[in-house]
Amino acid sequence: MAEVLVYVDHVDGAVRKPTLELLTLARRIGEPVAVALGAGADATAAVLAEHGAVKVLTADAPEFTEYLVVPKVDALQAAYEAVSPAAVLVPSSAEGKEIAARLAVRIGSGIITDAIDLEAGDEGPVATQSAFAASFTTRSRVSKGTPVITVKPNSAPVEAAPAAGTVEALAVTFGALATGTKVTGRTPRESTGRPELTEAAIVVSGGRGVNGAENFHIIEDLADSLGAAVGASRAAVDAGWYPHSNQVGQTGKSVSPQLYIASGISGAIQHRAGMQTSKTIVAINKDAEAPIFDLVDYGVVGDLFAVVPQLTDEIKARKG
Amino acid sequence: MSLRIVVCVKYVPDATGDRQFTEDLTVNRDDVDGLLSELDEYAVEQALQIAEEADDAEITVLTVGPEDAKDALRKALSMGADKAIHVEDDDLHGSDVMGTSLVLAKAIEKAGYDLVITGMASTDGTMGVLPAILAERLGVPQVTLLSEVKVEDGTVTGRRDGDTASEQLEASLPALVSVTDQSGEARYPSFKGIMAAKKKPVQSWDLEELEIEADEVGLEGSWTAVDAAAQRPARTAGTIVKDEGEGGKQLAEFLAGQKFI
Ligand SMILES: Cc1cc2nc3c(=O)[nH]c(=O)nc-3n(C[C@H](O)[C@H](O)[C@H](O)COP(=O)(O)OP(=O)(O)OC[C@H]3O[C@@H](n4cnc5c(N)ncnc54)[C@H](O)[C@@H]3O)c2cc1C
Ligand SMILES: Cc1cc2nc3c(=O)[nH]c(=O)nc-3n(C[C@H](O)[C@H](O)[C@H](O)COP(=O)(O)OP(=O)(O)OC[C@H]3O[C@@H](n4cnc5c(N)ncnc54)[C@H](O)[C@@H]3O)c2cc1C
């Protein structure tokens, strides 16, 4: 059976959920061979094996943290040459897309980014993408070279499928470009203890209607009652009420949770671009004409300062 | 010595219009107004600021696109760029990111450069990979997704706010930079700028001038194929209630019904 390379996104050995989703998709096309780089790479093997990786290729070197992107491309290319896979799958993070793109140029292949589904086809894997702020769904494939495809979080279920997961060291030689962009400093993002925005099953977002940083705790309280991640519109971010890392939309994060709750957000096209594929959409807005109501499964026309706290209390009461 | 900056700008259909695909599954550019991708305004802005800091700099804006794409160049020129290059050729229709990046790379090399600046993503394809691909093709460092950028003594430094960390980056020129919409508000063209733009040179190049064969680009030469495009069915109209004191409780009832609570 053909092998499929899966690039592993992990933090010090803790594999992030989108990679496990990729393993589910990879199994539809062939046998997943995972590539894990950097500190803790070896520690990823057990969970990758449990989710279907027949082999885990690992490499660690200071270059992966001291220089931007290119050393990881060199490593993925080494894996590609060692395996000759039928496809290469990479999670659609900002960095993942850049790694995938440079690999595609090097191996003379086409690239598809931000797939939301993937299946085997007669002429190779067929990817579903959503276009124009998710108003269209397209089906595409790579027609030249080995398909390189990046896949958005929440595009497939995480499924157990125990496999060998044999760990093998990957030999990597870094090229001249690898040391081109130096990382001279790094400030890790502080953890809030809430789920990662792009991976969360529920996202609760606030917009300009929240009217001040000091009011955002209303949104956070609701999020915490549901175990949800907190999002914000660009208007709220630009006003300095919430960090940019929580922005949902075209130039922020793209989310596709089971439930998206928008409070005090009008639903501009650029915001919709980042949340329109959410399964269930709920909005609270005092303007009955707000475009967000065109998307909702359930909407409340009302003042968020009254509705949101009441909702939070009710959820807490029901959960006991 | 003069700092030669090339800014890549894309002409895209207005995102607030009713964007559609045509029969050959390429973007319908006729029925929706086009404009300079808003995210590329940030690239032009940073180029202008870098040029203002340099002793001597020249900014060339470059686009690959149909006839109308000149509008995007005019806008960038009226913001303050010095000259423009338009790569236009019927055989470019339907190019994917590999084709487009090939053309951009050849044009950038022909124009001559010390620094290439792009936006973080287009507002139509929204791939966000073209900058990395260009850096690979040009063989220069990629200093991408910057929310802050500075160029001094032949060195680019910048801040990249990633998923898990904020990174400080450094590279030597020549280099490729992409900037995010956090890099700083783009200026509006002044009346004087708009008038001056009319006199600035816009060169037109075709594939032959760039020594690219027609079958390396366009729909036929693409590395990817779109087999189907379907409008997403409109969401079925949801339930909308007016809050008359019980709105939060009603919403909780809905969420419980959907098993979210
Ligand atoms: C290139 C580009 C990229 C962009 N990228 C993004 C992006 O990634 N994400 C994004 O969100 N935007 C993005 N935008 C901005 C987008 O166009 C909108 O400006 C933005 O989404 C508006 O945010 P908002 O809905 O919070 O604010 P507004 O549009 O001002 O809406 C506020 C809403 O709150 C309601 N409201 C006010 N008070 C209350 C109250 N007490 N109770 C209930 N409701 C209340 C109002 O009725 C209104 O509908 C982008 C724009 C451009 C040009
Ligand atoms: C909905 C949709 C989906 C697509 N999916 C794919 C796909 O999966 N694979 C694929 O190969 N192609 C795809 N394409 C085609 C691709 O978008 C175009 O080839 C495009 O020119 C390059 O991609 P981008 O604009 O999305 O680049 P991005 O990487 O999003 O753009 C980043 C920057 O590159 C510069 N830039 C991009 N295009 C130009 C240009 N023509 N002239 C000057 N500067 C430019 C701008 O500075 C821009 O800010 C898709 C197009 C659409 C409309």
Side-chain angles (χ1 to χ4, degrees):
Chain A
M1 204 180 186
E3 291 171 308
V4 176
L5 275 192
V6 172
Y7 182 84
V8 177
D9 190 359
H10 71 99
V11 182
D12 293 327
V15 178
R16 295 177 66 180
K17 189 164 149 264
T19 300
L20 302 179
E21 297 167 8
L22 279 194
L23 290 170
T24 300
L25 295 175
R27 291 200 309 277
R28 297 184 189 162
I29 308 165
E31 287 192 320
V33 173
V35 182
L37 308 174
D42 287 340
T44 61
V47 68
L48 295 170
E50 202 180 305
H51 293 89
V54 295
K55 211 189 293 178
V56 182
L57 304 175
T58 63
D60 190 13
E63 279 84 351
F64 293 134
T65 43
E66 289 171 11
Y67 301 93
L68 191 73
V69 174
V70 189
K72 293 172 181 162
V73 182
D74 288 350
L76 191 56
Q77 188 180 8
Y80 169 83
E81 280 158 9
V83 168
S84 305
V88 182
L89 306 184
V90 181
S92 267
S93 62
E95 184 185 65
K97 287 206 275 190
E98 293 187 332
I99 293 169
R102 296 188 71 134
L103 175 76
V105 183
R106 289 189 187 182
I107 65 176
S109 294
I111 179 169
I112 288 173
T113 57
D114 297 320
I116 54 168
D117 201 3
L118 204 58
E119 57 197 55
D122 295 340
E123 295 164 281
V126 177
T128 305
Q129 285 171 289
S130 69
F132 299 152
S135 59
F136 275 83
T137 305
T138 61
R139 288 165 63 79
S140 354
R141 67 201 149 75
V142 169
S143 48
K144 277 190 206 168
T146 304
V148 177
I149 300 173
T150 79
V151 181
K152 279 197 185 186
N154 286 337
S155 294
V158 172
E159 290 166 359
T166 324
V167 181
E168 277 179 31
L170 177 68
V172 185
T173 334
F174 295 110
L177 291 177
T179 53
T181 308
K182 215 174 166 163
V183 179
T184 56
R186 181 177 282 120
T187 318
R189 193 173 300 297
E190 266 177 56
S191 166
T192 58
R194 296 194 179 92
E196 170 63 30
L197 187 53
T198 53
E199 301 168 14
I202 304 181
V203 174
V204 175
S205 289
R208 201 194 306 268
V210 174
N211 199 26
E214 68 282 7
N215 299 330
F216 246 86
H217 71 90
I218 298 177
I219 303 298
E220 292 181 330
D221 290 347
L222 173 58
D224 292 342
S225 74
L226 289 163
V230 177
S233 74
R234 176 160 152 185
V237 168
D238 282 355
W241 303 341
Y242 224 66
H244 179 250
S245 50
N246 295 70
Q247 183 178 314
V248 171
Q250 187 187 47
T251 55
K253 299 272 164 61
S254 153
V255 301
S256 200
Q258 295 297 321
L259 171 64
Y260 187 83
I261 304 183
S263 300
I265 293 179
S266 60
I269 186 79
Q270 297 89 355
H271 188 80
R272 292 161 67 147
M275 49 66 72
Q276 195 147 299
T277 54
S278 305
K279 309 292 176 297
T280 298
I281 298 175
V282 166
I284 299 148
N285 194 307
K286 66 180 183 190
D287 174 10
E289 303 296 319
I292 190 89
F293 285 126
D294 297 343
L295 299 181
V296 299
D297 296 285
Y298 198 93
V300 180
V301 179
D303 188 335
L304 72 89
F305 292 101
V307 178
V308 175
Q310 187 181 68
L311 172 61
T312 308
D313 288 343
E314 186 66 21
I315 291 167
K316 284 187 188 153
R318 282 173 188 249
K319 285 193 166 171
Chain B
M1 216 190 70
S2 164
L3 178 69
R4 296 164 302 167
I5 306 174
V6 177
V7 187
C8 299
V9 298
K10 193 177 185 187
Y11 181 72
V12 296
D14 187 345
T16 60
D18 181 22
R19 294 176 293 178
Q20 299 279 343
F21 286 92
T22 56
E23 248 165 59
D24 68 358
L25 304 182
T26 60
V27 178
N28 180 343
R29 293 173 175 278
D30 295 332
D31 299 340
V32 174
D33 289 340
L35 45 78
L36 165 63
S37 173
E38 284 155 312
L39 295 172
D40 294 346
E41 291 182 16
Y42 295 91
V44 176
E45 177 62 36
Q46 288 309 311
L48 292 167
Q49 291 189 20
I50 289 165
E52 281 157 14
E53 291 293 313
D55 294 338
D56 179 18
E58 184 183 55
I59 302 172
T60 304
V61 283
L62 165 66
T63 197
V64 173
E67 166 79 35
D68 295 350
K70 281 199 178 65
D71 286 357
L73 296 174
R74 284 282 166 224
K75 170 97 189 253
L77 290 171
S78 63
M79 286 172 72
D82 300 300
K83 58 192 179 91
I85 298 169
H86 182 192
V87 183
E88 186 188 3
D89 198 308
D90 288 345
D91 289 325
L92 282 168
H93 172 78
S95 295
D96 65 357
V97 75
M98 285 301 163
T100 305
S101 60
L102 177 72
V103 177
L104 284 170
K106 292 258 188 175
I108 290 165
E109 274 163 351
K110 185 173 157 89
Y113 69 100
D114 302 297
L115 180 64
V116 179
I117 308 185
T118 73
M120 63 184 285
S122 72
T123 58
D124 58 349
T126 65
M127 295 184 74
V129 296
L130 192 133
I133 293 176
L134 261 189
E136 178 71 34
R137 288 198 187 278
L138 296 170
V140 300
Q142 76 164 74
V143 202
T144 46
L145 296 171
L146 302 184
S147 46
E148 249 172 38
V149 57
K150 209 174 171 119
V151 176
E152 232 168 25
D153 306 326
T155 302
V156 185
T157 51
R159 195 182 80 232
R160 170 172 164 123
D161 295 321
D163 263 359
T164 53
S166 178
E167 291 167 327
Q168 214 59 49
L169 304 179
E170 184 184 299
S172 303
L173 297 183
L176 177 136
V177 159
S178 78
V179 299
T180 73
D181 59 337
Q182 299 293 300
S183 60
E185 245 355 271
R187 69 195 63 186
Y188 285 104
S190 63
F191 179 71
K192 211 173 123 215
I194 294 167
M195 296 315 286
K198 296 191 173 157
K199 299 199 194 80
K200 291 179 179 172
V202 179
Q203 285 191 65
S204 277
W205 292 347
D206 60 13
L207 288 176
E208 203 179 324
E209 258 153 311
L210 296 176
E211 294 172 19
I212 295 171
E213 301 294 328
D215 63 6
E216 291 180 86
V217 294
L219 203 51
E220 295 304 315
S222 275
W223 281 249
T224 51
V226 182
D227 294 329
Q231 193 135 23
R232 213 182 149 82
R235 292 185 83 104
T236 41
T239 309
I240 295 181
V241 300
K242 195 169 173 340
D243 177 38
E244 273 155 359
E246 298 283 297
K249 287 187 183 158
Q250 285 167 283
L251 182 45
E253 187 60 36
F254 169 79
L255 294 179
Q258 302 285 314
K259 307 255 184 300
F260 288 116
I261 309 177

